[in-house]
Amino acid sequence: MRLPHLGVNSLPLAAGAFAAGVAFGATPAMASALFQAADLSQERFVLVAAPIGDGVRAQLNIYEQVKPTRPCFAVAPGSPAPVSPLLATFDFSGICSRFIDANGYSVRVGGADLATSYRLTVLRQSGDNVLLAVPTKAGAGPEMLVARTKGQGAGFLQLVFEPGWQLKRRAYGGRNLGHVYLYRDTWPDAAIQPGLPVVAPSPISGLSGTKR
């Protein structure tokens, strides 16, 4: 397993590797106790539907402004709102963080870390781009609408959280890690797709590693 770079606010590398090793070897019941969810400054982040290949499909990117040295991204007005990923034009080490896959972000509901039982996917749906949290295990819980671009367009588009969702930082032993949660306090009352049965979420939660 390739060890991640955790950054200045994260555990030292050796401790981070230990936490990841414990995570993958831990029983699912340990998940909530192993990692905590810490508050962060929402305005330092932007969620982006980033185009893949020819732009027909998109994936979730999350950009963070760590230091004000120079802008990491720019969001233009509009609905949907275009995003310029400025961090791609310079060496952003120590200035910006970029979270581009499941090593860098995951879903959490209350005390349940859902990294191994949910995946995040961006889909085009009814003239919009929606970010869905999709269960990957039977009985994990309902499919959840997390964010949307509020319209379709070309290029990088801002994803806007649905009510109840926010970003939080994964923490271990009181220290922040280089991994963020797409977080809500409680489970939604119903699944987002008509006719999709709502399955009571398991109290057992999963684990994942971290990446900056």
Side-chain angles (χ1 to χ4, degrees), residues 28-202:
M30 294 172 59
S32 297
L34 184 62
F35 294 121
Q36 300 83 46
D39 291 335
L40 47 73
S41 299
Q42 305 290 316
E43 64 274 8
R44 288 170 46 187
F45 293 80
V46 64
L47 274 66
V48 180
I52 302 173
D54 58 6
V56 175
R57 297 166 53 241
Q59 66 181 21
L60 172 63
N61 282 187
I62 302 175
Y63 307 141
E64 177 188 9
Q65 185 79 47
V66 177
K67 293 182 179 178
T69 308
R70 58 188 298 181
C72 299
F73 54 84
V75 182
S79 186
V83 177
S84 296
L86 303 176
L87 77 176
T89 64
F90 61 92
D91 179 4
F92 61 81
S93 302
I95 303 171
C96 318
S97 289
R98 180 174 59 184
F99 309 86
I100 59 174
D101 56 31
N103 289 315
Y105 52 69
S106 60
V107 180
R108 184 177 179 120
V109 176
D113 189 322
L114 305 173
T116 63
S117 56
Y118 269 81
R119 63 181 173 86
L120 289 155
T121 185
V122 178
L123 297 176
R124 287 190 173 180
Q125 189 178 89
S126 302
D128 206 345
N129 297 284
V130 296
L131 176 63
L132 303 179
V134 181
T136 58
K137 295 181 179 180
E143 189 172 278
M144 296 179 283
L145 175 60
V146 179
R148 63 173 76 235
T149 58
K150 299 186 176 182
Q152 286 191 7
F156 294 76
L157 303 175
Q158 183 182 21
L159 285 158
V160 180
F161 272 132
E162 288 291 287
W165 289 93
Q166 62 178 304
L167 287 173
K168 290 210 173 194
R169 182 84 67 182
R170 176 181 276 174
Y172 175 76
R175 299 290 300 275
N176 289 342
L177 300 176
H179 184 103
V180 293
Y181 289 123
L182 287 85
Y183 174 93
R184 59 177 294 141
D185 289 327
T186 59
W187 290 86
D189 294 332
I192 67 166
Q193 292 184 352
L196 182 66
V198 178
V199 181
S202 168

